[in-house]
Amino acid sequence: MDIEDLQSDYESMTVSIARWMQETLSHLGVPEQWVEYVKLIVLLAIVTITVYLLQLVVRKILTFVFHRVEKITTLSFFGYTINNKLPHYLALVVPYSFVRGAIPIVFYDFKGLISPLIKLTDIYLVFMVIWTVMALVRSFGDVLQEKPAFKNKPMKSYFQVIQIILFIFGAVVVYAILTGRSATAFFAAMGAASAVLLLMFKDSIMGFVGSIQITTNDMVQIGDWITMNKYGADGNVEEITLTTVKVRNFDKTITTIPTYALISDSFQNWRGMQESGGRRFRRALNIKYDSIRFLTEEEIEKFKKVDGLADYIKEKQGIYAKLNKQTASDLPLNKHAITNCDLFMQYGIYYLRNHPNINKDMTLLVRQLASTTQGLPIELYTFTSTTIWAEYETILAEIMNHLISVVQYFGLTIYEESSGSDDYNVYMKRMEQ
């Protein structure tokens, strides 16, 4: 039996059903002028109920089968297909043949609607296929994100690119269905409108280019802490799509940044710090100039008892003794000598090197910065052994509090800008004396 015979049998069946329905309704007392409309309503109701039940049964069966396969094979892919509604979309595709075949029967008396409705049914199939393929792609993407190599990759932007490509092919198929022309005619027609399309999809195209560069150069990953002052972003990247990057700031607000802005503008990614295992610690104490002085021999002997200073003092005394032999002057300004600021800086180095929360494998400095009108800055430059923000702040506070407390033991004074009340209190004390 060839296709023509099948088509002939189908048409004969359609005519038979239509006549049987018409005769049945006439016997039931339906007025002749209403028979066509009542028949249409009845057949539409039957088709609708059948499609609903067919879709429901198929969806239930597919969901059950996928659950069973997931349990038997322990493959997470089948679980992800359920989460991405693959059984639902497959169940929507199944009734297509039934609906397409029922249209000539339901609209037998309205032949002018048959061809447009069949085209709409074919268009429906195109979208169902696209959604089904996208459900499969998302499921494969979820499986890939289980792998360490893909865990923080912007998979969502890839899915959007695939979705755009599928919709382009879908648009070509829809055009061919509606017009009866080939795909070549579609692309010829689109060529004239390409400039308009480029303007319409400018952000998507730039985002697509940006997401490729971001991924290729590994500039940003999901979960990275980034700072972008231009957009007020300071937090963790939650989502990377074709057009936007969503950042949840530390104050729990959300900032949305255009994807291409990460290529065209500068931003700070803290991933390197987090992966290194240490966060930079950089703070300075401003020492008053008039509190810096040479130490006496008695003071030096006292400081030799302080942990971490004895070896330094002995080494410096030996070096300075050789240098001082070269001068005959007894004036302090003509001699090399240890100052209280030298010992404070050396104590700071010793303290940091022996602190349990300082990363000893990274840079550790206690240095002088350029002199300022607020005193001589003594800067601590080192790295903590943790990158957790709360722990970092606690460590920093403890170290600074300790060094501020010991400054007075070296005879040094920290510079503070005085307020009017401070000057007044000093003045009153002098008046009382």
Side-chain angles (χ1 to χ4, degrees):
M1 184 179 289
D2 56 16
I3 296 176
E4 292 182 358
D5 292 336
L6 287 172
Q7 187 174 1
S8 177
D9 291 342
Y10 177 73
E11 290 175 356
S12 300
M13 183 183 66
T14 302
V15 173
S16 300
I17 293 173
R19 288 177 179 176
W20 177 79
M21 284 288 297
Q22 190 166 358
E23 291 173 1
T24 302
L25 291 172
S26 297
H27 285 306
L28 291 174
V30 177
E32 187 176 349
Q33 65 271 21
W34 292 101
V35 169
E36 293 179 353
Y37 300 101
V38 173
K39 181 174 66 172
L40 176 64
I41 293 171
V42 171
L43 290 174
L44 280 175
I46 293 172
V47 170
T48 302
I49 293 171
T50 304
V51 167
Y52 173 76
L53 293 174
L54 187 60
Q55 194 270 343
L56 180 64
V57 170
V58 172
R59 178 163 56 86
K60 294 287 186 182
I61 292 173
L62 288 174
T63 304
F64 173 77
V65 170
F66 284 3
H67 272 304
R68 294 297 299 171
V69 172
E70 182 187 15
K71 289 182 179 179
I72 294 171
T73 62
T74 66
L75 294 176
S76 58
F77 170 76
F78 294 97
Y80 289 128
T81 57
I82 297 171
N83 295 336
N84 290 306
K85 298 183 178 181
L86 180 61
H88 173 74
Y89 294 130
L90 285 175
L92 288 175
V93 173
V94 168
Y96 162 75
S97 298
F98 175 78
V99 172
R100 200 176 191 281
I103 287 175
I105 299 174
V106 175
F107 294 93
Y108 178 79
D109 297 316
F110 303 89
K111 298 189 183 298
L113 295 176
I114 293 176
S115 179
L117 288 173
I118 288 177
K119 288 183 178 180
L120 285 175
T121 307
D122 292 339
I123 292 171
Y124 156 85
L125 178 64
V126 171
F127 285 102
M128 288 303 102
V129 170
I130 290 174
W131 290 335
T132 302
V133 173
M134 282 307 303
L136 280 169
V137 170
R138 290 193 186 95
S139 300
F140 278 115
D142 291 337
V143 173
L144 286 176
Q145 285 193 310
E146 292 180 348
K147 311 296 182 183
F150 295 91
K151 187 174 183 181
N152 295 320
K153 297 296 182 182
M155 303 300 293
K156 201 163 187 178
S157 62
Y158 301 149
F159 298 154
Q160 289 178 329
V161 172
I162 295 172
Q163 191 170 10
I164 289 173
I165 294 171
L166 288 174
F167 273 111
I168 290 173
F169 282 108
V172 175
V173 176
V174 169
Y175 175 83
I177 292 171
L178 292 175
T179 62
R181 298 182 180 180
S182 65
T184 306
F186 172 83
F187 287 111
M190 293 302 292
S194 59
V196 177
L197 289 173
L198 287 174
L199 287 174
M200 289 175 60
F201 296 101
K202 177 176 70 71
D203 292 337
S204 297
I205 294 170
M206 293 176 65
F208 173 59
V209 174
S211 62
I212 291 175
Q213 291 182 333
I214 287 170
T215 304
T216 304
N217 299 320
D218 197 21
M219 297 170 64
V220 179
Q221 295 180 1
I222 305 297
D224 282 359
W225 168 18
I226 68 169
T227 302
M228 200 169 189
N229 295 326
K230 180 178 178 180
Y231 292 91
D234 184 19
N236 297 322
V237 176
E238 281 198 340
E239 185 178 271
I240 301 176
T241 66
L242 198 61
T243 55
T244 59
V245 175
K246 187 186 292 184
V247 178
R248 182 174 290 277
N249 300 314
F250 295 123
D251 60 2
K252 301 306 178 184
T253 59
I254 294 176
T255 299
T256 303
I257 305 170
T259 304
Y260 191 74
L262 297 178
I263 303 298
S264 59
D265 299 325
S266 63
F267 69 96
Q268 191 171 13
N269 191 333
W270 296 84
R271 191 204 315 161
M273 177 270 293
Q274 293 173 325
E275 292 177 349
S276 70
R279 183 171 177 181
R280 190 179 68 174
F281 174 162
R282 186 179 182 184
R283 290 291 177 88
L285 295 172
N286 290 340
I287 305 299
K288 292 183 70 173
Y289 295 115
D290 59 4
S291 66
I292 300 174
R293 60 181 178 80
F294 294 120
L295 295 174
T296 64
E297 291 297 328
E298 292 79 10
E299 289 175 322
I300 289 176
E301 291 301 317
K302 182 186 69 174
F303 279 116
K304 282 183 179 180
K305 300 176 182 179
V306 177
D307 291 342
L309 296 183
D311 292 339
Y312 172 80
I313 291 172
K314 291 177 182 179
E315 179 185 356
K316 287 298 180 182
Q317 282 180 326
I319 295 172
Y320 291 162
K322 293 179 181 179
L323 294 172
N324 291 334
K325 287 181 181 179
Q326 300 175 7
T327 177
S329 176
D330 291 332
L331 294 175
L333 59 90
N334 289 329
K335 292 186 176 183
H336 296 277
I338 300 172
T339 67
N340 54 352
C341 190
D342 294 332
L343 292 187
F344 174 68
M345 292 175 63
Q346 184 62 31
Y347 175 80
I349 293 172
Y350 170 80
Y351 178 73
L352 292 177
R353 283 178 178 170
N354 290 276
H355 197 285
N357 296 317
I358 294 298
N359 193 321
K360 312 306 186 300
D361 297 326
M362 294 185 175
T363 304
L364 192 155
L365 294 173
V366 177
R367 60 177 182 167
Q368 287 186 7
L369 301 181
S371 299
T372 68
T373 55
Q374 284 80 36
L376 179 65
I378 305 297
E379 184 185 71
L380 312 176
Y381 191 107
T382 185
F383 291 80
T384 61
S385 58
T386 180
T387 60
I388 300 173
W389 191 5
E391 295 179 3
Y392 166 81
E393 293 293 346
T394 301
I395 295 166
L396 187 149
E398 290 174 353
I399 292 174
M400 293 304 297
N401 290 339
H402 177 83
L403 292 177
I404 290 171
S405 300
V406 302
V407 161
Q408 59 182 323
Y409 293 102
F410 292 87
L412 297 169
T413 305
I414 297 176
Y415 175 86
E416 291 181 293
E417 291 187 3
S418 62
S419 64
S421 61
D422 295 335
D423 294 338
Y424 177 76
N425 292 336
V426 173
Y427 174 75
M428 291 301 296
K429 288 179 180 179
R430 289 178 179 176
M431 289 294 292
E432 291 173 359
Q433 294 174 357

